[in-house]
Short mmCIF file of all heavy atoms in Angstrom, two decimals:
data_model
loop_
_atom_site.label_atom_id
_atom_site.label_comp_id
_atom_site.label_asym_id
_atom_site.label_seq_id
_atom_site.Cartn_x
_atom_site.Cartn_y
_atom_site.Cartn_z
N LEU A 466 147.25 75.36 113.04
CA LEU A 466 148.40 74.48 113.26
C LEU A 466 148.07 73.07 112.81
O LEU A 466 146.94 72.59 112.99
CB LEU A 466 148.77 74.45 114.74
CG LEU A 466 149.20 75.76 115.41
CD1 LEU A 466 149.37 75.54 116.91
CD2 LEU A 466 150.48 76.29 114.79
N THR A 467 149.09 72.36 112.29
CA THR A 467 148.88 70.94 112.01
C THR A 467 148.68 70.16 113.31
O THR A 467 147.94 69.17 113.35
CB THR A 467 150.06 70.34 111.23
OG1 THR A 467 151.29 70.58 111.93
CG2 THR A 467 150.16 70.93 109.82
N TYR A 468 149.29 70.63 114.40
CA TYR A 468 149.12 69.98 115.69
C TYR A 468 147.68 70.20 116.17
O TYR A 468 147.27 71.32 116.46
CB TYR A 468 150.11 70.54 116.71
CG TYR A 468 150.11 69.80 118.05
CD1 TYR A 468 150.64 68.52 118.14
CD2 TYR A 468 149.57 70.37 119.18
CE1 TYR A 468 150.65 67.83 119.35
CE2 TYR A 468 149.56 69.70 120.40
CZ TYR A 468 150.11 68.43 120.47
OH TYR A 468 150.10 67.73 121.66
N GLY A 469 146.94 69.11 116.24
CA GLY A 469 145.54 69.20 116.65
C GLY A 469 144.62 69.78 115.60
O GLY A 469 143.44 70.00 115.88
N ALA A 470 145.14 70.03 114.37
CA ALA A 470 144.37 70.77 113.36
C ALA A 470 143.70 71.95 114.06
O ALA A 470 142.50 72.19 113.95
CB ALA A 470 143.34 69.88 112.67
N THR A 471 144.54 72.68 114.80
CA THR A 471 144.09 73.70 115.76
C THR A 471 143.93 75.07 115.14
O THR A 471 144.86 75.59 114.49
CB THR A 471 145.11 73.78 116.92
OG1 THR A 471 145.13 72.54 117.63
CG2 THR A 471 144.77 74.91 117.89
N PHE A 503 142.73 71.85 124.83
CA PHE A 503 141.74 71.78 123.76
C PHE A 503 141.53 73.10 123.02
O PHE A 503 140.76 73.15 122.07
CB PHE A 503 140.37 71.29 124.28
CG PHE A 503 140.41 70.04 125.10
CD1 PHE A 503 140.10 70.07 126.45
CD2 PHE A 503 140.77 68.83 124.53
CE1 PHE A 503 140.13 68.90 127.22
CE2 PHE A 503 140.81 67.66 125.28
CZ PHE A 503 140.49 67.70 126.62
N GLY A 505 140.99 75.75 120.65
CA GLY A 505 141.01 75.88 119.21
C GLY A 505 141.18 74.58 118.45
O GLY A 505 141.18 74.57 117.22
N ALA A 506 141.31 73.48 119.18
CA ALA A 506 141.66 72.21 118.54
C ALA A 506 140.46 71.53 117.89
O ALA A 506 139.30 71.76 118.25
CB ALA A 506 142.28 71.26 119.56
N THR A 507 140.76 70.66 116.93
CA THR A 507 139.78 69.72 116.40
C THR A 507 139.57 68.64 117.45
O THR A 507 140.52 68.01 117.91
CB THR A 507 140.26 69.12 115.08
OG1 THR A 507 140.31 70.15 114.09
CG2 THR A 507 139.32 68.01 114.62
N ILE A 508 138.32 68.43 117.84
CA ILE A 508 137.99 67.49 118.91
C ILE A 508 137.42 66.21 118.33
O ILE A 508 136.53 66.23 117.49
CB ILE A 508 136.97 68.13 119.89
CG1 ILE A 508 137.52 69.43 120.48
CG2 ILE A 508 136.60 67.14 120.99
CD1 ILE A 508 138.79 69.28 121.28
N GLY A 509 137.94 65.08 118.80
CA GLY A 509 137.48 63.76 118.38
C GLY A 509 138.19 62.69 119.20
O GLY A 509 139.14 62.98 119.90
N ARG A 510 137.78 61.42 119.21
CA ARG A 510 136.67 61.10 118.35
C ARG A 510 135.33 61.65 118.85
O ARG A 510 134.41 61.85 118.05
CB ARG A 510 136.51 59.57 118.23
CG ARG A 510 137.61 58.87 117.50
CD ARG A 510 137.25 57.40 117.32
NE ARG A 510 138.35 56.66 116.74
CZ ARG A 510 138.26 55.41 116.33
NH1 ARG A 510 137.08 54.80 116.44
NH2 ARG A 510 139.29 54.79 115.83
N TYR A 511 135.23 61.91 120.15
CA TYR A 511 133.93 62.32 120.67
C TYR A 511 134.05 63.61 121.44
O TYR A 511 134.65 63.65 122.52
CB TYR A 511 133.33 61.23 121.57
CG TYR A 511 131.83 61.39 121.74
CD1 TYR A 511 130.95 60.68 120.95
CD2 TYR A 511 131.32 62.29 122.67
CE1 TYR A 511 129.58 60.86 121.08
CE2 TYR A 511 129.96 62.48 122.80
CZ TYR A 511 129.09 61.75 122.00
OH TYR A 511 127.74 61.94 122.12
N GLY A 512 133.46 64.67 120.89
CA GLY A 512 133.40 65.94 121.60
C GLY A 512 132.46 65.86 122.78
O GLY A 512 131.37 65.31 122.68
N LEU A 538 136.32 62.73 128.32
CA LEU A 538 136.04 64.07 127.81
C LEU A 538 136.87 64.34 126.55
O LEU A 538 138.10 64.18 126.57
CB LEU A 538 136.37 65.12 128.88
CG LEU A 538 136.29 66.59 128.46
CD1 LEU A 538 134.86 66.99 128.10
CD2 LEU A 538 136.84 67.50 129.57
N HIS A 539 136.21 64.73 125.47
CA HIS A 539 136.88 65.18 124.24
C HIS A 539 137.89 64.17 123.71
O HIS A 539 138.98 64.54 123.27
CB HIS A 539 137.56 66.52 124.46
CG HIS A 539 136.65 67.66 124.77
ND1 HIS A 539 135.36 67.75 124.27
CD2 HIS A 539 136.83 68.77 125.53
CE1 HIS A 539 134.79 68.86 124.69
NE2 HIS A 539 135.65 69.50 125.46
N GLY A 540 137.55 62.88 123.81
CA GLY A 540 138.44 61.86 123.26
C GLY A 540 139.30 61.16 124.28
O GLY A 540 140.09 60.29 123.93
N GLY A 541 139.20 61.56 125.55
CA GLY A 541 139.88 60.81 126.61
C GLY A 541 141.29 61.23 126.92
O GLY A 541 142.01 60.52 127.63
N GLY A 542 141.74 62.37 126.41
CA GLY A 542 143.07 62.86 126.77
C GLY A 542 144.15 62.52 125.75
O GLY A 542 145.25 63.08 125.80
N LYS A 543 143.85 61.59 124.84
CA LYS A 543 144.79 61.26 123.76
C LYS A 543 144.04 61.33 122.43
O LYS A 543 144.23 60.51 121.53
CB LYS A 543 145.37 59.85 123.96
CG LYS A 543 146.24 59.70 125.18
CD LYS A 543 147.56 60.46 125.06
CE LYS A 543 148.45 60.24 126.25
NZ LYS A 543 149.73 60.98 126.14
N GLY A 544 143.17 62.33 122.33
CA GLY A 544 142.30 62.45 121.17
C GLY A 544 142.93 63.20 120.01
O GLY A 544 144.14 63.41 119.94
N PHE A 545 142.07 63.63 119.10
CA PHE A 545 142.53 64.28 117.88
C PHE A 545 143.25 65.59 118.17
O PHE A 545 144.04 66.07 117.35
CB PHE A 545 141.34 64.58 116.96
CG PHE A 545 140.66 63.35 116.41
CD1 PHE A 545 139.49 63.47 115.67
CD2 PHE A 545 141.17 62.07 116.61
CE1 PHE A 545 138.87 62.35 115.14
CE2 PHE A 545 140.56 60.95 116.09
CZ PHE A 545 139.39 61.10 115.35
N ASP A 546 142.99 66.19 119.33
CA ASP A 546 143.57 67.50 119.67
C ASP A 546 145.06 67.44 119.92
O ASP A 546 145.74 68.47 119.87
CB ASP A 546 142.88 68.07 120.91
CG ASP A 546 142.99 67.15 122.11
OD1 ASP A 546 142.49 66.00 122.02
OD2 ASP A 546 143.56 67.57 123.14
N VAL A 547 145.61 66.25 120.22
CA VAL A 547 147.04 66.13 120.51
C VAL A 547 147.76 65.30 119.46
O VAL A 547 148.85 64.78 119.70
CB VAL A 547 147.28 65.56 121.93
CG1 VAL A 547 146.82 66.55 122.99
CG2 VAL A 547 146.60 64.21 122.12
N GLN A 548 147.17 65.18 118.29
CA GLN A 548 147.81 64.49 117.17
C GLN A 548 148.33 65.52 116.17
O GLN A 548 147.72 66.57 115.97
CB GLN A 548 146.81 63.55 116.47
CG GLN A 548 146.07 62.60 117.40
CD GLN A 548 147.00 61.72 118.20
OE1 GLN A 548 148.00 61.22 117.68
NE2 GLN A 548 146.67 61.50 119.47
N ASN A 549 149.45 65.19 115.54
CA ASN A 549 149.98 66.07 114.50
C ASN A 549 149.41 65.63 113.16
O ASN A 549 149.81 64.62 112.60
CB ASN A 549 151.51 66.03 114.48
CG ASN A 549 152.10 67.21 113.73
OD1 ASN A 549 151.49 68.26 113.61
ND2 ASN A 549 153.32 67.04 113.22
N TRP A 550 148.43 66.38 112.68
CA TRP A 550 147.71 66.02 111.47
C TRP A 550 148.60 66.24 110.23
O TRP A 550 149.53 67.05 110.24
CB TRP A 550 146.46 66.87 111.33
CG TRP A 550 145.40 66.57 112.36
CD1 TRP A 550 145.52 66.63 113.72
CD2 TRP A 550 144.05 66.18 112.09
NE1 TRP A 550 144.32 66.29 114.32
CE2 TRP A 550 143.40 66.02 113.35
CE3 TRP A 550 143.31 65.97 110.93
CZ2 TRP A 550 142.06 65.66 113.46
CZ3 TRP A 550 141.98 65.61 111.04
CH2 TRP A 550 141.37 65.44 112.30
N SER A 566 144.47 65.79 107.39
CA SER A 566 143.95 64.43 107.50
C SER A 566 144.61 63.69 108.65
O SER A 566 145.72 64.01 109.08
CB SER A 566 144.18 63.65 106.19
OG SER A 566 145.56 63.44 105.96
N LEU A 567 143.90 62.68 109.15
CA LEU A 567 144.38 61.87 110.27
C LEU A 567 143.71 60.51 110.20
O LEU A 567 142.52 60.42 109.89
CB LEU A 567 144.04 62.55 111.60
CG LEU A 567 144.46 61.82 112.89
CD1 LEU A 567 145.98 61.91 113.07
CD2 LEU A 567 143.75 62.42 114.10
N VAL A 568 144.46 59.46 110.50
CA VAL A 568 143.90 58.12 110.61
C VAL A 568 143.93 57.71 112.07
O VAL A 568 144.99 57.69 112.70
CB VAL A 568 144.68 57.11 109.75
CG1 VAL A 568 144.12 55.70 109.96
CG2 VAL A 568 144.62 57.48 108.28
N SER A 569 142.77 57.39 112.61
CA SER A 569 142.64 56.91 113.99
C SER A 569 142.44 55.39 113.94
O SER A 569 141.42 54.92 113.44
CB SER A 569 141.44 57.59 114.67
OG SER A 569 141.24 57.09 115.97
N PRO A 570 143.40 54.60 114.45
CA PRO A 570 143.33 53.14 114.29
C PRO A 570 142.25 52.50 115.15
O PRO A 570 141.77 53.09 116.13
CB PRO A 570 144.72 52.68 114.72
CG PRO A 570 145.21 53.74 115.65
CD PRO A 570 144.64 55.02 115.15
N ASP A 573 141.72 52.89 119.10
CA ASP A 573 142.31 54.15 119.55
C ASP A 573 141.50 54.72 120.72
O ASP A 573 140.31 55.00 120.58
CB ASP A 573 142.33 55.13 118.38
CG ASP A 573 143.14 56.39 118.65
OD1 ASP A 573 143.83 56.45 119.69
OD2 ASP A 573 143.08 57.30 117.81
N SER A 574 142.14 54.86 121.89
CA SER A 574 141.51 55.35 123.12
C SER A 574 140.28 54.54 123.51
O SER A 574 139.43 55.01 124.27
CB SER A 574 141.14 56.84 122.99
OG SER A 574 142.31 57.63 122.91
N TYR A 576 138.00 53.24 121.27
CA TYR A 576 136.92 53.30 120.29
C TYR A 576 137.09 52.23 119.21
O TYR A 576 138.21 51.96 118.77
CB TYR A 576 136.90 54.67 119.61
CG TYR A 576 136.41 55.79 120.47
CD1 TYR A 576 137.31 56.56 121.22
CD2 TYR A 576 135.06 56.10 120.55
CE1 TYR A 576 136.86 57.60 122.02
CE2 TYR A 576 134.60 57.15 121.34
CZ TYR A 576 135.51 57.89 122.08
OH TYR A 576 135.07 58.92 122.86
N GLY A 578 136.85 50.53 115.41
CA GLY A 578 136.93 50.92 114.02
C GLY A 578 138.11 51.80 113.69
O GLY A 578 138.51 52.66 114.48
N THR A 579 138.70 51.56 112.51
CA THR A 579 139.69 52.48 111.96
C THR A 579 138.93 53.62 111.29
O THR A 579 138.11 53.40 110.40
CB THR A 579 140.59 51.78 110.93
OG1 THR A 579 141.34 50.76 111.60
CG2 THR A 579 141.55 52.76 110.28
N VAL A 580 139.19 54.83 111.74
CA VAL A 580 138.47 56.00 111.25
C VAL A 580 139.44 56.91 110.51
O VAL A 580 140.46 57.33 111.06
CB VAL A 580 137.79 56.76 112.41
CG1 VAL A 580 137.20 58.08 111.92
CG2 VAL A 580 136.70 55.91 113.04
N LYS A 581 139.12 57.18 109.25
CA LYS A 581 139.91 58.11 108.44
C LYS A 581 139.18 59.45 108.42
O LYS A 581 138.03 59.52 107.99
CB LYS A 581 140.08 57.57 107.03
CG LYS A 581 140.87 56.26 106.98
CD LYS A 581 141.01 55.74 105.56
CE LYS A 581 141.82 54.45 105.54
NZ LYS A 581 141.95 53.92 104.15
N THR A 582 139.87 60.49 108.89
CA THR A 582 139.23 61.79 109.05
C THR A 582 139.91 62.84 108.19
O THR A 582 141.10 62.75 107.87
CB THR A 582 139.27 62.24 110.53
OG1 THR A 582 140.65 62.36 110.93
CG2 THR A 582 138.58 61.24 111.44
N LYS A 583 139.11 63.85 107.88
CA LYS A 583 139.62 64.99 107.12
C LYS A 583 138.94 66.24 107.65
O LYS A 583 137.72 66.24 107.88
CB LYS A 583 139.33 64.81 105.63
CG LYS A 583 139.87 65.92 104.74
CD LYS A 583 139.68 65.60 103.27
CE LYS A 583 138.24 65.66 102.86
NZ LYS A 583 138.05 65.50 101.39
N VAL A 584 139.72 67.29 107.87
CA VAL A 584 139.18 68.59 108.29
C VAL A 584 139.61 69.63 107.26
O VAL A 584 140.80 69.77 106.97
CB VAL A 584 139.68 68.99 109.69
CG1 VAL A 584 139.15 70.37 110.06
CG2 VAL A 584 139.23 67.98 110.73
N PHE A 598 134.15 68.74 108.80
CA PHE A 598 134.69 67.51 109.37
C PHE A 598 134.12 66.33 108.59
O PHE A 598 132.90 66.14 108.56
CB PHE A 598 134.31 67.37 110.84
CG PHE A 598 134.65 68.57 111.70
CD1 PHE A 598 133.74 69.59 111.89
CD2 PHE A 598 135.90 68.67 112.33
CE1 PHE A 598 134.04 70.69 112.67
CE2 PHE A 598 136.21 69.76 113.11
CZ PHE A 598 135.28 70.78 113.28
N ASP A 599 134.98 65.55 107.96
CA ASP A 599 134.56 64.36 107.21
C ASP A 599 135.26 63.13 107.79
O ASP A 599 136.44 63.21 108.19
CB ASP A 599 134.93 64.48 105.73
CG ASP A 599 134.08 65.50 105.00
OD1 ASP A 599 132.85 65.31 104.95
OD2 ASP A 599 134.65 66.48 104.47
N ALA A 600 134.56 62.01 107.83
CA ALA A 600 135.16 60.78 108.33
C ALA A 600 134.45 59.56 107.77
O ALA A 600 133.25 59.61 107.47
CB ALA A 600 135.13 60.75 109.86
N VAL A 601 135.21 58.47 107.65
CA VAL A 601 134.65 57.17 107.30
C VAL A 601 135.24 56.14 108.25
O VAL A 601 136.34 56.32 108.80
CB VAL A 601 134.95 56.78 105.84
CG1 VAL A 601 134.23 57.71 104.87
CG2 VAL A 601 136.46 56.80 105.56
N THR A 606 130.87 52.60 114.84
CA THR A 606 131.52 53.35 115.91
C THR A 606 130.66 54.57 116.23
O THR A 606 129.55 54.73 115.70
CB THR A 606 132.94 53.76 115.50
OG1 THR A 606 133.66 54.26 116.64
CG2 THR A 606 132.96 54.79 114.39
N VAL A 607 131.15 55.42 117.13
CA VAL A 607 130.48 56.69 117.42
C VAL A 607 131.46 57.82 117.11
O VAL A 607 132.66 57.70 117.35
CB VAL A 607 129.98 56.78 118.88
CG1 VAL A 607 128.90 55.73 119.13
CG2 VAL A 607 131.12 56.62 119.88
N LEU A 608 130.92 58.93 116.59
CA LEU A 608 131.73 60.10 116.26
C LEU A 608 130.96 61.36 116.59
O LEU A 608 129.74 61.43 116.39
CB LEU A 608 132.08 60.12 114.76
CG LEU A 608 133.27 59.29 114.28
CD1 LEU A 608 133.35 59.33 112.76
CD2 LEU A 608 134.57 59.80 114.88
N ASN A 609 131.69 62.35 117.09
CA ASN A 609 131.08 63.64 117.41
C ASN A 609 132.20 64.67 117.38
O ASN A 609 132.77 65.01 118.41
CB ASN A 609 130.42 63.59 118.80
CG ASN A 609 129.59 64.82 119.11
OD1 ASN A 609 129.02 65.43 118.22
ND2 ASN A 609 129.51 65.17 120.38
N MET A 610 132.51 65.18 116.20
CA MET A 610 133.65 66.07 116.01
C MET A 610 133.21 67.53 116.05
O MET A 610 132.13 67.89 115.60
CB MET A 610 134.36 65.75 114.70
CG MET A 610 134.99 64.37 114.66
SD MET A 610 135.75 63.99 113.06
CE MET A 610 137.08 65.20 113.03
N THR A 611 134.10 68.37 116.60
CA THR A 611 133.82 69.80 116.67
C THR A 611 135.12 70.57 116.80
O THR A 611 136.21 69.99 116.80
CB THR A 611 132.87 70.12 117.86
OG1 THR A 611 132.43 71.48 117.76
CG2 THR A 611 133.55 69.90 119.20
N TYR A 777 130.53 60.26 107.76
CA TYR A 777 130.21 61.30 108.76
C TYR A 777 130.59 62.65 108.18
O TYR A 777 131.65 62.82 107.57
CB TYR A 777 131.00 61.04 110.04
CG TYR A 777 130.96 62.16 111.05
CD1 TYR A 777 130.01 62.17 112.07
CD2 TYR A 777 131.88 63.21 111.00
CE1 TYR A 777 129.99 63.19 113.01
CE2 TYR A 777 131.86 64.23 111.93
CZ TYR A 777 130.91 64.22 112.93
OH TYR A 777 130.89 65.24 113.85
#
Side-chain angles (χ1 to χ4, degrees):
L466 299 173
T467 55
Y468 187 72
T471 296
F503 309 113
T507 293
I508 302 299
R510 292 187 186 188
Y511 199 96
L538 173 65
H539 295 329
K543 295 291 183 180
F545 293 174
D546 59 299
V547 293
Q548 309 303 319
N549 197 25
W550 291 57
S566 67
L567 179 73
V568 177
S569 176
D573 190 9
S574 293
Y576 288 92
T579 296
V580 172
K581 296 179 179 180
T582 61
K583 183 173 70 173
V584 177
F598 307 91
D599 289 299
V601 294
T606 192
V607 296
L608 277 174
N609 189 31
M610 295 177 66
T611 190
Y777 169 94

